[in-house]
Amino acid sequence: MENIIQADVALNPGNSGGPLVASNGQIVGINTAIIAGAQNLSFAVPSNTAKWVVSELLQVGRVRRASLGAFCHVIPLNPVIKEYLSRHGIKDLRERRSVVEVVATAPKSAAAMSGLQQGDVLVAINGTQMQTVDDIHKLLGKTPPGTQVKIDIVRVDDSSVRTLNVTTGDDISTTKPNYLPFQSPKR
């Protein structure tokens, strides 16, 4: 879980959802979860996140998040990969511990339509370095669907460095299965 507040509020099943209040009376979050067996260890959704969710629900009827439709995994940055990236002009490798590799793209997704391919090493989105899949999720979580982003990649197949212009999709449209659920025949 990310962007949550850890608190020492005693929550019991059935009483989550109330406000988490600071000592000055300001509402800072909504009490959401506990860890079973951990005494007085609870978690709250920050109030600014809750406000954003409520505005999305009121305006659109659901929470929308941008999506690429790319399935990725993390590769630890070993000396061989570091040298490869360095040779292809990727800078600031000193602090980097890992890279993100594209494993697959969803059919007709933003990633597939932009030319992102299996094996591409995703270096940055809009200039922000991507070291983990969580980095991608965090950036896309702040990006409205339909936004154009620049993705810097190293294409391993032909040893090229490229920047792809990608218009993000909607998380529902890119993860929707391409089959219809079973429907019983009408009688």
Side-chain angles (χ1 to χ4, degrees), residues 84-137:
Y84 181 84
L85 294 174
S86 179
R87 267 188 315 193
H88 289 86
I90 306 304
K91 296 174 176 51
D92 300 325
L93 293 171
R94 237 176 297 129
E95 300 297 319
R96 191 182 275 261
R97 283 175 269 172
S98 59
V99 292
V100 178
E101 180 184 34
V102 176
V103 177
T105 59
K108 299 181 183 176
S109 67
M113 291 164 54
S114 72
L116 200 61
Q117 298 177 2
Q118 178 181 359
D120 286 346
V121 175
L122 204 150
V123 178
I125 298 177
N126 286 344
T128 302
Q129 288 193 9
M130 298 290 119
Q131 293 189 63
T132 67
V133 176
D134 286 344
D135 291 341
I136 297 170
H137 290 181

Side-chain angles (χ1 to χ4, degrees), residues 9-20 30-34 40 42-43:
V9 175
L11 287 181
N12 296 304
N15 74 350
S16 63
L20 178 64
I30 298 175
N31 293 311
T32 304
I34 60 169
N40 292 340
S42 63
F43 300 96

Side-chain angles (χ1 to χ4, degrees), residues 29 34 51 60 64 71 77 104-105 118 128 148 152 155 174 181:
I34 60 169
K51 287 177 188 174
V60 185
R64 300 171 301 161
F71 305 96
L77 192 59
T105 59
Q118 178 181 359
T128 302
Q148 188 167 3
D152 297 324
R155 175 135 311 146
T174 55

Side-chain angles (χ1 to χ4, degrees), residues 7-180:
D8 61 357
V9 175
L11 287 181
N12 296 304
N15 74 350
S16 63
L20 178 64
V21 182
S23 60
N24 65 0
Q26 179 184 7
I27 295 175
V28 294
I30 298 175
N31 293 311
T32 304
I34 60 169
I35 294 181
Q39 194 170 11
N40 292 340
L41 183 59
S42 63
F43 300 96
V45 173
S47 57
N48 58 349
T49 300
K51 287 177 188 174
W52 175 76
V53 168
V54 168
S55 82
E56 281 285 298
L57 292 173
L58 291 173
Q59 291 176 14
V60 185
R62 66 182 179 84
V63 176
R64 300 171 301 161
R65 297 189 193 308
S67 175
L68 296 175
F71 305 96
C72 303
H73 70 155
V74 174
I75 300 173
L77 192 59
N78 61 43
V80 173
I81 296 173
K82 200 176 232 183
E83 169 62 26
Y84 181 84
L85 294 174
S86 179
R87 267 188 315 193
H88 289 86
I90 306 304
K91 296 174 176 51
D92 300 325
L93 293 171
R94 237 176 297 129
E95 300 297 319
R96 191 182 275 261
R97 283 175 269 172
S98 59
V99 292
V100 178
E101 180 184 34
V102 176
V103 177
T105 59
K108 299 181 183 176
S109 67
M113 291 164 54
S114 72
L116 200 61
Q117 298 177 2
Q118 178 181 359
D120 286 346
V121 175
L122 204 150
V123 178
I125 298 177
N126 286 344
T128 302
Q129 288 193 9
M130 298 290 119
Q131 293 189 63
T132 67
V133 176
D134 286 344
D135 291 341
I136 297 170
H137 290 181
K138 286 177 194 173
L139 187 133
L140 291 177
K142 299 173 188 172
T143 306
T147 302
Q148 188 167 3
V149 295
K150 291 188 181 297
I151 301 179
D152 297 324
I153 64 163
V154 174
R155 175 135 311 146
V156 177
D157 289 352
D158 64 7
S159 296
S160 63
V161 177
R162 300 177 184 201
T163 298
L164 303 176
N165 292 311
V166 182
T167 301
T168 60
D170 188 309
D171 63 341
I172 289 180
S173 66
T174 55
T175 57
K176 189 175 183 182
N178 55 6
Y179 59 88
L180 294 174

